[in-house]
Amino acid sequence: MDVYNPIFKITWPGPGVLGISIVLFMLFMAIAVYVLLLYVRMKERERMHNYQLFLFQVKRKGLNNFQIKILNSMADQMNKADPTRIVANAALFESMLSNFMEYLQRSREDIDDRKVICRDLLTIYEKLYVKAAYREPLESMTGIENGQILYISTDSGKLHLGKVSGRGKDVLAIQLFTSLKNFKNFRSGEQLEIFIVRINDAEYRIRTNLSGIEENRLLVAMSDDLVKEKEYRHPYIS
């Protein structure tokens, strides 16, 4: 339908259904893009807020910059948008260890560097999730509590993180954070080295032997070859 302007005596075509539809569609798209930009900006502010809160929490727990970098790397690999969830959730942290160790085994880091990273993982776990203000020094392997996180190294250079899950006659049961296929790398009777970090106590290195495998657990022999490597001074004792 044409539109006539009596002042200027001009006639021009009026908008049809198609024209109105195009204008409305363009208006809708503009609003949608604006809403999307607002949402992206809001999520970015939320991400920055969560990350700042995460930094505050882990630094308050005593983690150093390298340990924070490790924790960030784990969160990125598992696509955890909110890293603050890791700080209070030990089960979530443990669920990430298997994939992280697979990645570490494939890396070009030599065995000593990988041991340093594993030691830092133990320290992260202890500082975030273990609440004990003071712990009696270990005199033997029998003093290791269920739930103690540790790493095991073999003479062939394999490293595995694990957690004490029980004990039997002259053996300690250790559940590994790895897939079942990796248990074929262990041989009954082979020598193992166990490393433990106990915040507010000390770091310990133990030489022992593998007594057997039970489902997804290693059964390691109780050993007297336990060495205290580094002692943590209690903050209230000079």
Side-chain angles (χ1 to χ4, degrees), residues 98 102 160 176-183:
S98 178
E102 292 285 346
H160 295 280
L176 297 185
F177 299 113
T178 188
S179 59
L180 289 175
K181 66 179 181 180
N182 291 324
F183 281 82

Side-chain angles (χ1 to χ4, degrees), residues 103-118:
Y103 161 78
L104 188 59
Q105 296 283 17
R106 295 192 303 267
S107 71
R108 297 182 180 180
E109 304 283 352
D110 61 33
I111 183 66
D112 290 331
D113 289 337
R114 282 184 282 137
K115 284 183 177 181
V116 170
I117 293 173
C118 285

Side-chain angles (χ1 to χ4, degrees), residues 66-163:
F66 183 66
Q67 291 161 355
I68 294 172
K69 185 177 179 181
I70 292 175
L71 206 55
N72 261 328
S73 177
M74 293 174 67
D76 289 342
Q77 287 190 26
M78 297 297 291
N79 297 319
K80 300 299 180 185
D82 184 0
T84 60
R85 293 175 55 200
I86 307 173
V87 178
N89 193 331
L92 178 60
F93 181 86
E94 291 176 11
S95 71
M96 298 179 183
L97 291 178
S98 178
N99 286 341
F100 186 81
M101 289 303 296
E102 292 285 346
Y103 161 78
L104 188 59
Q105 296 283 17
R106 295 192 303 267
S107 71
R108 297 182 180 180
E109 304 283 352
D110 61 33
I111 183 66
D112 290 331
D113 289 337
R114 282 184 282 137
K115 284 183 177 181
V116 170
I117 293 173
C118 285
R119 176 189 176 278
D120 277 309
L121 285 169
L122 303 185
T123 303
I124 291 169
Y125 189 93
E126 285 277 315
K127 288 186 175 180
L128 291 185
Y129 311 120
V130 178
K131 308 300 182 183
Y134 175 74
R135 297 155 99 176
E136 291 290 337
L138 287 179
E139 300 295 338
S140 67
M141 287 183 66
T142 58
I144 302 174
E145 306 101 330
N146 289 348
Q148 174 68 58
I149 193 170
L150 48 79
Y151 79 71
I152 294 176
S153 62
T154 66
D155 289 339
S156 61
K158 295 294 184 181
L159 286 174
H160 295 280
L161 285 169
K163 184 169 71 171

Side-chain angles (χ1 to χ4, degrees), residues 176-210:
L176 297 185
F177 299 113
T178 188
S179 59
L180 289 175
K181 66 179 181 180
N182 291 324
F183 281 82
K184 65 183 181 182
N185 298 325
F186 292 97
R187 304 182 313 277
S188 183
E190 73 173 313
Q191 285 196 325
L192 303 174
E193 183 179 82
I194 297 175
F195 191 83
I196 295 174
V197 173
R198 287 162 49 97
I199 298 298
N200 297 327
D201 175 19
E203 298 175 2
Y204 296 90
R205 192 178 301 275
I206 305 167
R207 295 290 296 180
T208 183
N209 296 315
L210 178 62

Side-chain angles (χ1 to χ4, degrees), residues 137 198 200-204 228-234:
R198 287 162 49 97
N200 297 327
D201 175 19
E203 298 175 2
Y204 296 90
K228 180 186 292 187
E229 294 211 332
K230 175 184 175 181
E231 188 169 359
Y232 292 94
R233 183 177 293 275
H234 193 277

Side-chain angles (χ1 to χ4, degrees), residues 52-65:
Q52 292 299 322
L53 179 59
F54 165 76
L55 287 179
F56 171 76
Q57 290 174 333
V58 295
K59 287 184 177 181
R60 188 179 62 177
K61 294 283 188 176
L63 269 61
N64 61 36
N65 289 335

Side-chain angles (χ1 to χ4, degrees), residues 19-84:
I20 294 174
S21 298
I22 292 175
V23 171
L24 290 177
F25 176 75
M26 292 177 64
L27 180 62
F28 171 79
M29 289 301 296
I31 294 173
V33 170
Y34 177 71
V35 171
L36 179 62
L37 289 175
L38 285 180
Y39 176 78
V40 170
R41 187 175 299 175
M42 180 188 70
K43 296 301 289 185
E44 180 63 18
R45 284 200 300 264
E46 181 182 348
R47 187 189 68 82
M48 292 300 298
H49 170 75
N50 288 336
Y51 184 69
Q52 292 299 322
L53 179 59
F54 165 76
L55 287 179
F56 171 76
Q57 290 174 333
V58 295
K59 287 184 177 181
R60 188 179 62 177
K61 294 283 188 176
L63 269 61
N64 61 36
N65 289 335
F66 183 66
Q67 291 161 355
I68 294 172
K69 185 177 179 181
I70 292 175
L71 206 55
N72 261 328
S73 177
M74 293 174 67
D76 289 342
Q77 287 190 26
M78 297 297 291
N79 297 319
K80 300 299 180 185
D82 184 0
T84 60

